[in-house]
Amino acid sequence: MTHQLPKLEYDYEALEPFIDAKTMEIHHSKHHQAYVDNLNKALEKYPELQEKKVDELLANNLKIVPEDIKMAVRNHGGGHVNHSLFWQWMTDDVKARDFKGAVSEAILKDFESFDKFKESFTDCAMKRFGSGWAWLVLNKGKLEIYSTSNQDSPVMEGKVPLLGLDVWEHAYYLKHMSNRKAYIELWWSIVNWKKVNELYEAKK
Ligand code: MN
């Protein structure tokens, strides 16, 4: 057993009314658990890879991962690393939700205003067809908004994820049905900018 489901830093109901407890519980205890289990299963016959961190497995488009398990590690390793961060990008700590710090200055410089940044990111998340993620990343030291399909992670192409939003239907369907826009709007209220800033400070 190498990879494990991380514990959340808050209770399932802590993000109410923005994200409902049932969605959080199923998303974490079922979906994320399945990514972890399937990643471990894929690595079963490669003990030398079991010691590697997920980021190392995914780096350079999974260069060190054998062909026969590449797709499984891409999907489930990607799912594991994306969700491990996703839980930390949301918080019940009201102070941590303040948009401030070096990353806020960089965003205001590159996107003119918070509203314009929010609009671009939201637009990117809305336009992702099917399942995937919207991201704010550092790409060669520059801020960039883009999206990936399925569980593909920015880490695979050497980009540093600063903030990511899960737009798979499992992230919102229970509460919002097909209304992805409503989910995204509420999500902005609980973003952990303190964490985003920490990631930015560590990598800028
Ligand atoms: Mn998800």
Side-chain angles (χ1 to χ4, degrees), residues 27 83 166 170:
H27 201 171
H83 286 84
D166 187 344
H170 68 223

Side-chain angles (χ1 to χ4, degrees), residues 77-90:
H80 180 34
V81 85
N82 290 342
H83 286 84
S84 296
L85 279 165
F86 185 55
W87 311 128
Q88 300 178 63
W89 281 321
M90 301 185 286

Side-chain angles (χ1 to χ4, degrees), residues 142-155:
K142 293 194 76 174
L143 292 179
E144 178 187 327
I145 289 172
Y146 85 123
S147 82
T148 58
S149 63
N150 303 313
Q151 292 297 352
D152 282 358
S153 161
V155 170

Side-chain angles (χ1 to χ4, degrees), residues 5 8 10-13 19-33 87 170 174:
L5 185 69
L8 299 188
Y10 43 80
D11 297 328
Y12 289 139
E13 64 269 24
I19 309 247
D20 61 292
K22 196 73 193 164
T23 296
M24 284 300 298
E25 181 186 350
I26 292 172
H27 201 171
H28 178 254
S29 72
K30 303 290 184 200
H31 290 281
H32 191 172
Q33 183 71 61
W87 311 128
H170 68 223
L174 269 183

Side-chain angles (χ1 to χ4, degrees), residues 22 32 40 55 60 100 111 146 154 196-197 204:
K22 196 73 193 164
H32 191 172
N40 285 329
D55 288 39
N60 302 307
K100 60 180 192 182
F111 298 91
Y146 85 123
V196 178
N197 193 52
K204 70 174 179 182

Side-chain angles (χ1 to χ4, degrees), residues 63-105:
K63 201 174 172 189
I64 63 166
V65 179
E67 212 50 51
D68 64 326
I69 61 164
K70 204 165 260 198
M71 190 51 89
V73 174
R74 178 177 175 176
N75 290 337
H76 302 292
H80 180 34
V81 85
N82 290 342
H83 286 84
S84 296
L85 279 165
F86 185 55
W87 311 128
Q88 300 178 63
W89 281 321
M90 301 185 286
T91 182
D92 61 338
D93 175 358
V94 178
K95 271 198 205 152
R97 293 173 180 171
D98 285 346
F99 179 68
K100 60 180 192 182
V103 77
S104 73
E105 286 159 28

